[in-house]
Amino acid sequence: MRTKTDAAKMVALLKEAYPVEICSLDYADAWQLLVAVRLSAQCTDARVNQITPVLFARYPTLQALADAPLDEIEGIIRSCGFYHSKAKDLKATAQILCEKYEGLVPKTMEELLALPGVGRKSANLILGDVYHVPGVVIADTHCIRISNRLGFLASKDPLKVENALRKALPAEESNDFCHRLVLHGRAVCTARTAHCSRCVLDALCPKKGVKQAD
């Protein structure tokens, strides 16, 4: 396990390397982010960002999405994979948000997890990026891989990763830290190879030179 001092150093180094932390999904408001993150399951963010402009142009409001024919939604999102289940979840979620929440995305983990197709990663993304809740950890594949390599824990369980990082990281930095791990995981600490020679965290990493996905 890493200490809070270690974590604070990592936060500072990643801030310097990636001064602008961003969510890789394009969206204009909370419900659009909820849609985009559902589409991103087993699909690249780049592909989702090609699909959502078409989807949101066709259905510019939650009510329009709630009223949309299922087969039309499926046709638009087909290329992101698992489009039958995703379309069903999107339509059902839109209906729930319109009927129960007056078109607003709820602000609690419990309410978000009750929506069709929403897991902890999706819920944490909404809580952190939209509602700026402190202490949020988005345990995606990059976060899980790099957290293990950095020695925060030895587990691929997303909830265990979430809890370990929440304990170690400053609450006000955790959400941005996770976004920076995505940028770092794509550019440097990739699944196939850890490019340690150009890693800003190299001096703090106990698992240098990893060549295969772990």
Side-chain angles (χ1 to χ4, degrees), residues 25-100:
L25 296 168
D26 296 335
Y27 66 97
D29 53 35
W31 76 267
Q32 289 188 354
L33 179 57
L34 196 59
V35 167
V37 74
R38 179 65 186 100
L39 293 177
S40 70
Q42 304 299 311
C43 181
T44 66
D45 291 352
R47 170 63 65 180
V48 173
N49 288 339
Q50 293 174 353
I51 295 169
T52 49
V54 179
L55 184 68
F56 297 149
R58 180 69 180 84
Y59 309 113
T61 66
L62 260 177
Q63 190 62 61
L65 184 60
D67 295 338
L70 198 59
D71 61 337
E72 288 187 9
I73 300 174
E74 289 178 346
I76 294 173
I77 70 170
R78 180 182 293 266
S79 64
C80 75
F82 302 97
Y83 62 92
H84 290 304
S85 60
K86 290 180 180 180
K88 183 179 178 181
D89 287 344
L90 294 184
K91 181 176 174 67
T93 293
Q95 291 172 333
I96 292 170
L97 294 181
C98 289
E99 294 168 6
K100 186 175 180 180

Side-chain angles (χ1 to χ4, degrees), residues 48 112 126:
V48 173
L112 287 166
I126 294 293

Side-chain angles (χ1 to χ4, degrees), residues 16 23 32-33 37 66 73 85-86 89 96 100-101 103-104 114 116 124-125 133 138 143 156 160 173 176 203 211:
E16 185 176 353
C23 174
Q32 289 188 354
L33 179 57
V37 74
I73 300 174
S85 60
K86 290 180 180 180
D89 287 344
I96 292 170
K100 186 175 180 180
Y101 295 102
L104 300 176
N124 277 319
L125 186 62
V133 175
I138 306 160
C143 180
K156 295 181 181 179
K160 290 182 179 179
E173 297 286 358
D176 291 348
K211 299 304 179 185

Side-chain angles (χ1 to χ4, degrees), residues 197-214:
S197 62
R198 51 189 174 90
C199 179
V200 297
L201 302 178
D202 183 55
L204 294 168
C205 183
K207 202 167 186 179
K208 301 180 181 182
V210 177
K211 299 304 179 185
Q212 302 295 325
D214 47 359

Side-chain angles (χ1 to χ4, degrees), residues 93-191:
T93 293
Q95 291 172 333
I96 292 170
L97 294 181
C98 289
E99 294 168 6
K100 186 175 180 180
Y101 295 102
E102 299 182 343
L104 300 176
V105 175
K107 298 182 178 181
T108 70
M109 175 66 75
E110 293 72 22
E111 290 174 308
L112 287 166
L113 290 178
L115 297 173
V118 175
R120 289 192 66 88
K121 185 184 81 169
S122 302
N124 277 319
L125 186 62
I126 294 293
L127 293 175
D129 277 38
V130 176
Y131 296 121
H132 308 294
V133 175
V136 164
V137 172
I138 306 160
D140 75 338
T141 55
H142 296 289
C143 180
I144 292 170
R145 179 179 71 254
I146 299 174
S147 297
N148 274 263
R149 287 181 179 175
L150 289 174
F152 282 100
L153 77 168
S155 174
K156 295 181 181 179
D157 184 318
L159 184 56
K160 290 182 179 179
V161 173
E162 184 182 328
N163 289 334
L165 289 182
R166 186 177 289 114
K167 289 178 183 178
L169 293 167
E172 69 279 7
E173 297 286 358
S174 59
N175 188 62
D176 291 348
F177 181 83
C178 293
H179 283 315
R180 290 187 171 101
L181 284 188
V182 172
L183 299 175
H184 193 61
R186 289 173 177 165
V188 179
C189 196
T190 70

